[in-house]
Amino acid sequence: MINVSVLGYGTVGSGVVDIIRENNELISGRIGQEIRTKYVLDLRDFPGDPVEDILVHDFDIIKNDPEVQVVVETMGGLHPAYEFVKACLEQGKSVCTSNKALVADFGPELIQTAKEHNASFLFEASVGGGIPIIRPLQSSLNPDEILEISGILNGTTNYILTEMTDKGSDFDSVLSDAQNLGYAEADPTADVEGHDACRKIAILTSLAYGKNLDFKDIYTEGITNITDRDIIYAGKLGAKVKIFGSSKETGGRVSAMVAPVMIYPDNPLYSVDGVFNAILVKGNMVGDVMFYGQGAGKLATASAVVSDVMEAAKNQGSTVEIQWSEEPLSLVPFSENKNMFFVRVSGSKADNEAKVKEFFGAVDAVDVGFNDEYAFITEKMTEGDYQKAADSMGNVINKIRISI
Ligand code: HSE
């Protein structure tokens, strides 16, 4: 019998309980023994809910129960999630979490703790919700050197950008619609400022290279500066604006970034719209592989958590190996990264053309009929050179990198 305990009976935690109940026979058959949820920990009471009888408010009951082999952490936040997870691992209990903040902050340490106690620390649901990406990176893509990862890693921002593109709406009104529909959080800062995607690309990049990429080292730009005018220009160029979390290996050095990009229809991520997420991985042998699905949502995310529970159950008494050491992964300085930039400056073409040529060199103008601004695409240049040219111009309204 595998006894599971769930810490946090919110959206994902209740989904885990539902899946273990609804698919009990199938799951038990596939892991070769019966499975049940023994406890649910939450501060709240749930009168009349099926978990009423197994609800506990004291974490120590779970920690000290030797029958509990697998703990699911779906509380979110760093504390006390970290302390609870660490304590469970130290008791030799495997932990499966959907908590990307916990994984991005403490991943290598918790992996090591799990190993020292013949347990597993698994986090398939922490990136891309229900999309299988952590395990494929660790197993199916193992023979490959990973050259590049580009991901639409946040459903809220993809929904906002899709609505702006399809309906011509402005950022603020789409965001408030998204909040009313329950897609966006009441406080959407982590999503719209790119912090959520930043933690996710930090996790994926750490797994791809086996070393720890500190998410705080990743240049992160959100979508709050994207306006309906940017979307109109993108349309004229036959492109879409998306926000990518991306990382790339060139000559043994890794670069990473979270930022809005313009992408063209030949990019497989072009047609990933709405709340969907997708991750495109380029291996040096396998070529391009894309993972697509629901990046959030109760049952999708819970399904990924339960897949980890099953993996932990099948490996009871040993550790599911995760290649992610505490050794820091250093990034190429951001100013050295090269990109093409779509740039809008205030003032007319006549006001700007000569100065643009002087500071940016040869550019391709993009005209959609606005007389109060001038827009153009640069050649490939470093971030440092872009910044110098933009500072010299002094009238940049916005810039968006072009994904090529
Ligand atoms: N707020 C996240 C999103 C949820 O919008 O994608 C999943 O991490």
Side-chain angles (χ1 to χ4, degrees):
M1 165 77 80
I2 292 290
N3 289 288
V4 179
S5 290
V6 177
L7 312 181
Y9 194 57
T11 306
V12 180
S14 60
V16 168
V17 173
D18 288 354
I19 292 175
I20 291 177
R21 188 183 53 244
E22 296 276 317
N23 280 6
N24 193 274
E25 207 174 311
L26 176 153
I27 294 168
S28 299
R30 288 183 180 165
I31 60 174
Q33 55 188 313
E34 263 188 68
I35 188 166
R36 68 164 173 170
T37 305
K38 184 163 185 188
Y39 304 111
V40 169
L41 177 82
D42 205 286
L43 292 171
R44 300 162 293 176
D45 286 311
F46 297 94
D49 191 283
V51 298
E52 199 178 7
D53 295 338
I54 56 168
L55 190 71
V56 294
H57 299 303
D58 179 3
F59 167 67
D60 285 347
I61 294 172
I62 293 170
K63 186 184 91 176
N64 296 327
D65 185 339
E67 277 190 3
V68 173
Q69 305 102 326
V70 183
V71 173
V72 164
E73 187 279 303
T74 45
M75 307 165 66
L78 286 180
H79 303 287
Y82 166 76
E83 289 75 13
F84 287 2
V85 167
K86 183 99 176 168
C88 289
L89 294 171
E90 284 170 347
Q91 294 291 322
K93 302 180 194 305
S94 290
V95 176
C96 309
T97 184
S98 59
N99 185 340
K100 73 193 105 39
L102 179 76
V103 178
D105 265 79
F106 297 106
E109 177 194 326
L110 295 171
I111 288 166
Q112 185 57 28
T113 308
K115 202 170 178 173
E116 284 162 11
H117 294 86
N118 296 320
S120 301
F121 177 63
L122 302 172
F123 42 88
E124 182 60 69
S126 65
V127 180
I131 305 172
I133 179 62
I134 304 288
R135 206 163 297 126
L137 266 182
Q138 285 288 300
S139 56
S140 324
L141 298 173
N142 236 350
D144 275 55
E145 192 182 323
I146 304 299
L147 302 176
E148 201 169 333
I149 302 174
S150 324
I152 294 177
L153 298 171
N154 183 271
T156 304
T157 47
N158 201 37
Y159 172 80
I160 292 172
L161 292 171
T162 302
E163 289 288 295
M164 288 174 76
T165 302
D166 292 351
K167 304 200 175 135
S169 327
D170 64 80
F171 175 83
D172 289 327
S173 57
V174 182
L175 176 59
S176 92
D177 286 351
Q179 283 171 316
N180 292 336
L181 288 166
Y183 292 151
E185 307 278 343
D187 178 2
T189 314
D191 293 316
V192 298
E193 296 295 356
H195 304 151
D196 176 81
C198 173
R199 281 168 176 78
K200 291 169 177 169
I201 194 65
I203 294 169
L204 295 180
T205 309
S206 298
L207 291 169
Y209 301 105
K211 294 181 186 171
N212 189 39
L213 174 54
D214 187 337
F215 66 88
K216 295 187 269 315
D217 292 343
I218 301 175
Y219 174 85
T220 299
E221 197 179 297
I223 62 163
T224 49
N225 289 334
I226 303 294
T227 64
D228 39 359
R229 284 200 177 190
D230 293 308
I231 302 289
I232 291 169
Y233 282 107
K236 163 96 181 184
L237 291 165
K240 281 184 185 171
V241 180
K242 297 283 181 193
I243 177 167
F244 275 10
S246 54
S247 59
K248 194 172 186 169
E249 193 242 71
T250 329
R253 302 170 80 208
V254 177
S255 55
M257 173 176 82
V258 174
V261 288
M262 280 196 192
I263 59 172
Y264 291 96
D266 59 349
N267 188 317
L269 295 169
Y270 179 87
S271 41
V272 177
D273 283 332
V275 290
F276 278 86
N277 284 196
I279 301 133
L280 182 65
V281 181
K282 189 189 283 295
N284 71 335
M285 296 294 152
V286 72
D288 283 349
V289 280
M290 188 156 104
F291 302 85
Y292 171 85
Q294 295 179 53
K298 174 172 166 160
L299 290 177
T301 309
S303 168
V305 177
V306 176
S307 82
D308 280 346
V309 170
M310 293 170 73
E311 191 69 5
K314 285 190 271 187
N315 289 278
Q316 267 295 107
S318 63
T319 304
V320 178
E321 287 285 336
I322 308 266
Q323 310 291 329
W324 179 356
S325 78
E326 301 211 38
E327 190 185 335
L329 177 70
S330 57
L331 290 177
V332 175
F334 184 67
S335 61
E336 292 176 24
N337 293 343
K338 280 191 171 168
N339 279 301
M340 284 166 74
F341 296 84
F342 163 78
V343 188
R344 292 165 51 214
V345 293
S346 57
S348 67
K349 179 177 180 182
D351 295 340
N352 282 293
E353 210 169 17
K355 273 204 303 175
V356 166
K357 190 156 193 247
E358 180 188 346
F359 297 126
F360 283 96
V363 298
D364 284 329
V366 190
D367 186 2
V368 292
F370 298 127
N371 296 324
D372 55 349
E373 61 180 63
Y374 176 58
F376 56 91
I377 295 176
T378 70
E379 293 193 332
K380 223 171 183 189
M381 62 198 300
T382 66
E383 292 281 346
D385 286 344
Y386 164 79
Q387 200 51 56
K388 259 186 248 155
D391 290 346
S392 304
M393 289 293 299
N395 60 344
V396 171
I397 302 168
N398 200 10
K399 51 109 185 16
I400 303 174
R401 294 164 185 84
I402 309 260
S403 175
I404 39 169

